[in-house]
Amino acid sequence: MNQFWGLDADPTAQGRIKGARPVAVLDIGSNSVRLVVYERLARSLTLLYNEKSSCALGRGLAQTGRLAYENIDRALTAIQRFALVAQLMKAGEVYILATSAVRDASNSKAFVDAVEATMNAKVEVLSGAAEAHFAALGVVAGIPDFTGIVGDLGGGSLELSSIVDGVDAVGETHELGVIRMQDDAGRSVARAREIARERLARSELLSCKPGGQFCAIGGTWRSMAKMHQVLRNYPLHMVQHYVTKAGDLAKLCDEIVDAATAGKAYPGSDHTSSSRRDLVPFGAAVLGEVLRAGKFDSVLFSAQGVREGYLYGLLPPEERALDPLLQGAEEISILRSRSPAHAEDLIRFTAGFLDAIQVKETAAEERLRKVACYLSDIGWRGHPDYRGEQSVDMVAYGALAGVDHPGRAFLAEALAVRYMGLKHKSISHELMELAGPAANMKARLLGATFRVAYPMSAAMPGVLQRTHFSLEGSRLRLHLPEDLAFLAGEHLAGRLDQLAGVAGIKSSEVVAK
């Protein structure tokens, strides 16, 4: 008899993708052990569960060559719990990835055997080259158009690789992980900076093509990204796709290293978790030297790395070619909208309006318009007075992949107008500035088009496809079929007037014939 109540029952809720089989990744790193369970193996990954335990397996490894037994015990205790979580969540597959500490330790076999027995799955000990490869794939999975150098900073090592046109090459591993740096430098941050400079001097990647964009991955660097956002009053506090000037970040690195060297609190330390606070100065020492060695122009942060890259590598080529943002938005539409089919009608309806007023879209603008259509009805379950704010929050602060921060601001403005009208004040000026004036205007135009569509269709398919727009002189016309002439009331006429005003058109008319 199973010892856990209800373990054999199907735990899947109606708010989950039908037929989705969860997949789990256990990531055994030098600093922490983390279990992540995803809803399913797909191009756009959705988190079901995420937990880490700071076990510091790499502590002292550079000096002894062995994993400390107390750290092994701590890791195995956490992994016992993770085995239960994977079982409770009915993960179909569990992939176990071990990195620097496990591959370098002389006594790792007994630890690996114990992990495999606990999890009932094989441990894959990644080489440095494999770790660099999967880190790069993780970036490609979340930021498909990235080109530049990727750096994944862990507790034991730093992996570097280059990405061009979605393909990675020239992987490097350097003994520059934050725990290793603490040990090698005798906890001297100033000495750690010197060591980083010496070891990075051997990097071919950083010296061959200076400039461009550097993509930073890893928990310590993510902490630094969040600190940087707080210090500059940035309106979004999410790491994925956060971009800043390399010079600004290098300056922060120097300030952190100098403060730590002087025994003072470094800038932003009060916004860092206690488990990362002592590691950040060593991560700053490494990042500052990476940016100097590569002479980078900008830094982009990725919250996706080895785990996501490993799963991305398991997908067939046709699924890897899918757009993660569009897939993710479609899934949200399936789970949250009143009718997913209506989104397809809305895509055609908004495209027809732009054609009528002769507004051309770039491929990137068309992509965001489609995403906005998929997300345009996600707030209907909320209280009428707060549907707009809730929808804006889900878009601006949600877990969508494949969208940069200006794109989030665009989507948020389009949904704010859709739910709250053109005079809404729910989005901060700082957030709107991320998209820029031109994109904000197009977002308002799109939101105003939604406000014309929904009173006609009631969020159901079949109506919008029977209507069309035309521009005759300075008058915008919305054409209805004769059997839908009763829709041409004051409410629809007022919405159409608003849309015409946003588009800079003098007048409008609803025509039924």
Side-chain angles (χ1 to χ4, degrees):
M1 185 176 180
N2 204 306
Q3 60 180 317
F4 301 112
W5 182 86
L7 199 61
D8 292 328
D10 182 2
T12 304
Q14 291 184 3
R16 300 255 295 270
I17 295 293
K18 187 176 181 180
R21 192 179 188 189
V23 59
V25 179
L26 176 62
D27 185 353
I28 304 174
S30 300
N31 185 43
S32 63
V33 176
R34 183 186 294 270
L35 177 75
V36 183
V37 183
Y38 302 93
E39 185 175 28
R40 63 174 180 146
L41 178 61
R43 182 65 182 85
S44 178
L45 295 170
T46 301
L47 283 174
L48 278 180
Y49 189 83
N50 185 354
E51 183 181 348
K52 78 166 184 175
S53 176
S54 298
C55 302
L57 279 172
R59 177 70 67 203
L61 179 62
Q63 287 69 42
T64 67
R66 299 171 62 84
L67 302 176
Y69 288 114
E70 60 269 28
N71 295 336
I72 289 177
D73 289 343
R74 191 180 298 120
L76 289 176
T77 299
I79 289 170
Q80 284 182 305
R81 166 168 167 70
F82 293 159
L84 170 61
V85 170
Q87 188 181 11
L88 290 171
M89 304 200 79
K90 294 191 176 294
E93 297 289 344
V94 179
Y95 300 99
I96 307 175
L97 310 177
T99 54
S100 177
V102 175
R103 72 169 172 259
D104 293 341
S106 61
N107 64 334
S108 61
K109 184 179 185 306
F111 172 67
V112 168
D113 290 345
V115 173
E116 290 181 341
T118 302
M119 296 295 299
N120 193 28
K122 183 74 174 174
V123 174
E124 187 169 350
V125 181
L126 301 180
S127 67
E131 193 174 350
H133 170 64
F134 290 126
L137 286 188
V139 174
V140 172
I143 310 171
D145 59 352
F146 176 79
T147 293
I149 305 296
V150 173
D152 184 4
L153 182 71
S157 61
L158 168 68
E159 275 67 45
L160 296 173
S161 56
S162 64
I163 299 177
V164 178
D165 296 329
V167 178
D168 67 296
V170 196
E172 296 180 349
T173 297
H174 300 273
E175 296 178 341
L176 291 171
V178 286
I179 289 179
R180 182 182 288 271
M181 291 292 281
Q182 278 187 323
D183 292 344
D184 288 356
R187 293 187 175 262
S188 166
V189 180
R191 176 59 185 146
R193 180 161 55 185
E194 295 173 2
I195 293 173
R197 188 178 302 130
E198 293 166 4
R199 294 178 182 175
L200 288 172
R202 299 191 290 269
S203 171
E204 295 180 6
L205 270 176
L206 296 180
S207 61
C208 64
K209 287 185 178 180
Q213 192 166 64
F214 178 72
C215 180
I217 310 173
T220 302
W221 283 349
R222 286 197 298 271
S223 294
M224 292 182 61
K226 291 178 180 179
M227 289 164 44
H228 192 257
Q229 289 172 334
V230 170
L231 292 171
R232 62 180 287 206
N233 295 316
Y234 190 75
L236 293 178
H237 291 171
M238 58 182 62
V239 169
Q240 180 69 10
H241 229 131
Y242 176 54
V243 180
T244 188
K245 293 179 180 178
D248 290 347
L249 200 60
K251 180 181 178 183
L252 176 61
C253 289
D254 289 342
E255 291 173 352
I256 292 172
V257 170
D258 291 345
T261 300
K264 300 177 180 178
Y266 55 82
S269 59
D270 53 335
H271 298 287
T272 306
S273 67
S274 57
S275 63
R276 292 281 180 190
R277 196 165 295 138
D278 292 341
L279 298 176
V280 164
F282 294 88
V286 175
L287 182 56
E289 293 308 312
V290 166
L291 298 181
R292 289 185 182 87
K295 298 181 174 64
F296 294 101
D297 302 313
S298 62
V299 180
L300 178 152
F301 288 89
S302 173
Q304 297 192 1
V306 171
R307 293 182 297 273
E308 293 79 12
Y310 187 88
L311 295 180
Y312 175 80
L314 297 175
L315 295 172
E318 60 271 19
E319 288 195 47
R320 277 186 249 172
L322 295 175
D323 186 325
L325 178 59
L326 284 171
Q327 185 184 71
E330 286 185 73
E331 287 185 354
I332 293 173
S333 177
I334 290 169
L335 295 173
R336 291 184 177 272
S337 67
R338 285 170 284 187
S339 170
H342 179 261
E344 300 295 339
D345 279 7
L346 197 56
I347 288 172
R348 291 188 290 270
F349 182 77
T350 53
F353 169 67
L354 294 178
D355 286 342
I357 65 172
Q358 298 181 352
V359 170
K360 301 297 183 183
E361 290 180 296
T362 65
E365 289 170 341
E366 180 184 9
R367 175 178 182 255
L368 283 178
R369 176 175 58 81
K370 289 180 177 180
V371 171
C373 290
Y374 285 126
L375 301 177
S376 63
D377 196 40
I378 59 177
W380 68 273
R381 281 188 182 274
H383 187 283
D385 292 343
Y386 296 100
R387 286 172 185 163
E389 287 89 344
Q390 291 171 3
S391 298
V392 166
D393 286 351
M394 282 191 282
V395 169
Y397 312 117
L400 287 168
V403 60
D404 59 14
H405 291 193
R408 287 179 179 274
F410 173 92
L411 295 171
E413 174 65 6
L415 264 65
V417 172
R418 176 262 193 267
Y419 278 107
M420 295 177 285
L422 293 163
K423 296 181 180 180
H424 78 88
K425 296 181 181 179
S426 66
I427 299 180
S428 71
H429 177 70
E430 291 78 12
L431 179 59
M432 291 181 67
E433 279 189 333
L434 293 180
N440 278 324
M441 178 54 67
K442 289 184 177 179
R444 290 173 63 78
L445 190 64
L446 182 58
T449 313
F450 291 163
R451 290 177 65 79
V452 172
Y454 275 95
M456 290 192 293
S457 67
M460 291 293 113
V463 173
L464 296 182
Q465 58 186 301
R466 301 183 61 205
T467 69
H468 69 277
F469 290 96
S470 68
L471 181 61
E472 299 174 22
S474 59
R475 175 166 291 189
L476 176 67
R477 284 190 167 93
L478 173 61
H479 298 267
L480 306 178
E482 189 172 355
D483 61 314
L484 295 180
F486 57 85
L487 293 176
E490 291 183 5
H491 184 57
L492 181 60
R495 292 286 179 90
L496 188 63
D497 261 345
Q498 289 180 343
L499 176 59
V502 177
I505 300 169
K506 290 184 178 180
S507 63
S508 68
E509 180 183 16
V510 181
V511 180
K513 60 180 177 180

